[in-house]
Amino acid sequence: MTARRRPRTLASRYARTAYLFLTPAILFFAAFFYLPIGNVVATSLRTGPQADQWSGLANFGQALADPAVRHSFLVTVGFSVLVVAGSIVLGLALAMVIDQPLRGRVAFRVLLLVPYLTSVAIVGLLWRNILDPELGVLNRVLAATGLPQQQWLNTAPLLTIAAVTLWQSVGYTMVLFLAGLQGIPETYHEAAKIDGADGWRRFWRITLPLLAPTTLFVSVMAVISGLQAFGQAYIITNGGPGDATDLSVFHIFNVAFRTRDFGYSSAQSVLLLMVIVAFTLIQLRAGRRAEVVY
């Protein structure tokens, strides 16, 4: 006797269709994301100019004890703190301004998005020329107005590249916060107005709590972007002056392509990936707890 075939449920057919459409994305991530990560992990366990000698976890121990690695990580954390704080504060402030019925707000929104749509290389070259102490446009403007010229890339280099990063990315965070603001029902604010709440109190009691998911997403993406930053340090300051802007990815790049120690640089990459994943999980956990409180 032949076994009776069980009829396919609608859910199973939907699942098969979903997996069919997901297959190209899965193959793409497997080829360009998961396989390279596996290759980096395998390389981190080897040493030598060609990374052909087994070393086990020696590269990881060396990285954890290396003062230069610790310094670059602390520089990256400081850079990320500046970028995250600036992204949240400036992005929310601009979104609240554009959310008002002002003339020309659509054009203003487009102008803010243009830097985000521009590559990091172009932005870096642009600001390196603007901030150049001798030939830069900014110092020429200061000289023309009788003000003293500044050494922009030497006085506060980390703050400078963080400001350039914010200039480029704040349009994206502004759009995210604007979408969150427009998703808040106006009836909440109307009810608060009837109860006598002023604008500041409505912001703290209504707007900010309801923007918690958007703020969480912005902060997570800003932390990941800040910890992975490379182009700003490479193009604008070249890690200097000294090692003041020696970000982690820039340090890994120098170890890999200037000292040709691919095993050691791969170990640092794996450690940085673990830090990024840990920070992301902590933020997500803290954000969910905050949403429960609200």
Side-chain angles (χ1 to χ4, degrees):
M1 297 179 60
T2 59
R4 297 179 59 184
R5 296 182 61 183
R6 298 179 60 183
R8 294 179 181 175
T9 63
L10 185 62
S12 65
R13 279 183 280 181
Y14 280 161
R16 290 169 63 90
T17 304
Y19 282 118
L20 180 64
F21 281 104
L22 285 173
T23 299
I26 294 173
L27 294 176
F28 176 84
F29 277 100
F32 298 101
F33 187 74
Y34 297 113
L35 288 179
I37 288 180
N39 183 47
V40 169
V41 173
T43 306
S44 68
L45 302 176
R46 300 178 179 276
T47 188
Q50 303 297 326
D52 54 356
Q53 302 174 15
W54 177 261
S55 62
L57 299 177
N59 287 325
F60 292 93
Q62 181 183 353
L64 293 174
D66 192 344
V69 174
R70 291 197 297 268
H71 172 77
S72 66
F73 177 71
L74 292 176
V75 171
T76 306
V77 170
F79 173 82
S80 300
V81 169
L82 293 173
V83 171
V84 172
S87 297
I88 294 175
V89 174
L90 292 178
L92 180 56
L94 290 172
M96 294 187 69
V97 171
I98 294 180
D99 195 37
Q100 304 302 316
L102 301 175
R103 181 179 299 178
R105 60 178 181 174
V106 175
F108 186 55
R109 187 188 311 176
V110 172
L111 290 176
L112 285 174
L113 272 175
V114 169
Y116 178 74
L117 300 175
T118 309
S119 68
V120 176
I122 295 176
V123 170
L125 290 173
L126 172 67
W127 279 99
R128 189 180 68 180
N129 292 330
I130 292 175
L131 299 174
D132 187 272
E134 297 180 0
L135 303 176
V137 176
L138 191 54
N139 270 346
R140 289 187 178 183
V141 172
L142 292 177
T145 56
L147 297 175
Q149 300 184 15
Q150 304 294 326
Q151 298 289 329
W152 301 103
L153 300 180
N154 295 327
T155 305
L158 190 63
L159 183 61
T160 299
I161 63 173
V164 172
T165 304
L166 284 175
W167 177 83
Q168 182 182 15
S169 62
V170 72
Y172 174 65
T173 58
M174 178 269 298
V175 170
L176 294 176
F177 277 119
L178 183 61
L181 288 172
Q182 294 178 348
I184 299 176
E186 189 61 29
T187 54
Y188 293 172
H189 291 282
E190 294 174 355
K193 289 179 182 179
I194 295 174
D195 292 338
D198 56 12
W200 188 251
R201 186 170 297 178
R202 293 198 306 272
F203 172 77
W204 284 103
R205 298 293 184 180
I206 298 175
T207 303
L208 202 58
L210 292 178
L211 283 177
T214 304
T215 305
L216 175 62
F217 179 78
V218 169
S219 62
V220 169
M221 296 304 295
V223 167
I224 294 174
S225 176
L227 293 176
Q228 292 180 331
F230 169 74
Q232 299 87 339
Y234 179 70
I235 297 173
I236 300 176
T237 62
N238 196 29
D243 54 1
T245 56
D246 187 23
L247 301 178
S248 291
V249 178
F250 181 72
H251 182 80
I252 293 170
F253 169 82
N254 287 330
V255 172
F257 296 101
R258 295 183 179 176
T259 65
R260 310 295 293 180
D261 196 341
F262 295 106
Y264 188 38
S265 63
S266 297
Q268 294 182 40
S269 300
V270 173
L271 290 175
L272 181 61
L273 174 62
M274 295 171 63
V275 169
I276 292 174
V277 172
F279 268 109
T280 303
L281 294 177
I282 292 172
Q283 285 181 283
L284 292 176
R285 189 179 184 87
R288 289 169 183 169
R289 287 184 178 180
E291 291 179 13
V292 171
V293 171
Y294 284 125

